[in-house]
Amino acid sequence: MHTVWKGSISFGLVNIPVKLHAATENKDIKLRQLHKECNTPINYQKVCAGCKKEVQSEDIVKAYEYSKNKFVVLDDDELEKLKKENEDKAVEIIDFVKLEEIDPIYFERSYYMAPDGGGGKAYSLLQKALTESGKIGVAKIMIRSKEQLAVVRVYDEILIMETIHFPDEVRSAKEVPNIPSEPAIVQKELDTALLLVEQLTTTFEPEKYTDDYRTALMELIEEKKTGNKTVTASEKQAVAPSNVTDLMSALQASLDKTKKKKPVPRKKKAAKTS
């Protein structure tokens, strides 16, 4: 598997060197566009609408449009500095929560986590702790110049990290139009619907679900290849921190640190007797 990120993740004072590997892949069939007249692949150029000419990469700057046609220009050095400041921070598990507390709408992409650089014992410790506690870890990580909220959990006996959306990235359900406020549902209709749900209820087996369109499209492509219905394109082209070795010491130090943060409850004063 290709490594997409390399660093360390920590809980308390325990650091675990890890590598991330994409757990899913896009199976979409990508179709190219050809010029119908000569079968040459179509290329896309970056053209300035004002100057009416092609622009090279070195002549392009990044900017944020804060209102119509009004921009704040950000140079590469400024963006790189922000990126460095965030990337240098260790990926720390902030909280431990229950998986069922997070609605699936928040989940974005999954990554397998593999131990790296002698982090096998600490990796196994976290895996075991999550399994026995029934909890998942909530953490932050910087991937491809974007800070991501993520959860770390156990999947098929290994650690998996799933990036999740920040709350302000999830649109409010109240914005969805045309939702009936008080639908008039007849009890007989509901009973029939519940019966249908019961009849179709089964155990989830992901292997039985297939992409029928992609399969049919590949069959059509292979049929055209076999029938010699292909074209040849014209050749004319336009120009991490070190691992903590003493896990017991790190865990104890983490517990001591947590205890210090908790406020000491005040003793109630005894009521005065008259």
Side-chain angles (χ1 to χ4, degrees):
M1 285 186 177
H2 176 67
T3 301
V4 298
W5 187 89
K6 182 178 179 179
S8 65
I9 189 165
S10 64
F11 67 110
L13 298 179
V14 179
N15 284 286
I16 312 169
V18 294
K19 293 180 179 179
L20 296 187
H21 309 277
T24 59
E25 59 182 325
N26 191 339
K27 290 284 190 174
D28 288 350
I29 300 173
K30 297 181 179 179
L31 302 179
R32 290 289 305 274
Q33 292 184 328
L34 306 180
H35 184 196
K36 188 175 181 179
E37 184 176 319
C38 63
N39 296 323
T40 301
I42 301 298
N43 294 327
Y44 294 91
Q45 299 174 324
K46 296 178 180 178
V47 178
C48 174
C51 303
K52 306 297 182 184
K53 65 178 183 181
E54 185 179 357
V55 180
Q56 302 301 318
S57 297
E58 58 268 21
D59 297 320
I60 299 175
V61 296
K62 295 182 176 69
Y64 174 74
E65 187 174 11
Y66 61 91
S67 65
K68 185 67 174 179
N69 291 327
K70 292 186 181 294
F71 299 88
V72 173
V73 177
L74 303 167
D75 61 49
D76 291 338
D77 291 338
E78 292 171 323
L79 295 173
E80 189 65 24
K81 183 181 178 181
L82 289 176
K83 179 181 175 183
K84 288 286 185 183
E85 288 176 352
N86 284 279
E87 279 187 335
D88 290 343
K89 295 178 182 178
V91 180
E92 181 182 3
I93 293 179
I94 307 165
D95 297 305
F96 290 96
V97 302
K98 292 182 178 180
L99 177 60
E100 54 266 28
E101 294 175 346
I102 304 177
D103 191 273
I105 195 172
Y106 283 93
F107 287 87
E108 187 177 13
R109 187 162 188 183
S110 304
Y111 297 91
Y112 289 129
M113 302 181 74
D116 186 37
K121 187 175 181 181
Y123 180 97
S124 297
L125 174 66
L126 179 57
Q127 186 267 346
K128 191 74 172 176
L130 292 177
T131 299
E132 295 199 7
S133 67
K135 303 290 179 60
I136 63 173
V138 179
K140 281 186 177 182
I141 184 174
M142 193 79 175
I143 301 179
R144 299 189 183 96
S145 302
K146 185 181 186 299
E147 187 176 54
Q148 297 271 9
L149 193 60
V151 297
V152 178
R153 65 185 183 92
V154 178
Y155 172 78
D156 203 14
E157 298 186 356
I158 68 169
L159 293 179
I160 187 171
M161 187 181 78
E162 295 180 275
T163 54
I164 63 176
H165 294 288
F166 285 99
D168 60 353
E169 293 178 317
V170 179
R171 292 177 175 174
S172 173
K174 296 178 181 178
E175 298 177 10
V176 181
N178 304 322
I179 301 298
S181 55
E182 295 181 3
I185 302 297
V186 179
Q187 186 60 43
K188 187 176 180 180
E189 295 174 335
L190 179 58
D191 291 340
T192 304
L194 290 173
L195 179 60
L196 178 60
V197 170
E198 182 62 31
Q199 289 177 345
L200 295 177
T201 297
T202 184
T203 302
F204 179 63
E205 298 175 3
E207 297 80 10
K208 77 176 187 180
Y209 304 103
T210 58
D211 188 337
D212 296 334
Y213 171 77
R214 174 160 54 89
T215 301
L217 180 56
M218 279 307 303
E219 289 176 353
L220 176 60
I221 292 171
E222 290 299 324
E223 182 182 328
K224 284 181 171 289
K225 284 171 61 180
T226 304
N228 201 26
K229 296 180 180 180
T230 61
V231 295
T232 302
S234 170
E235 294 183 1
K236 295 179 182 180
Q237 298 287 333
V239 177
S242 61
N243 187 35
V244 175
T245 54
D246 189 349
L247 292 179
M248 196 61 223
S249 297
L251 290 168
Q252 187 60 52
S254 300
L255 287 174
D256 293 341
K257 188 177 179 182
T258 304
K259 288 178 182 178
K260 289 178 182 179
K261 290 182 180 179
K262 292 183 178 180
V264 179
R266 294 181 180 178
K267 293 182 178 179
K268 291 183 179 179
K269 293 181 179 180
K272 292 182 179 180
T273 57
S274 55

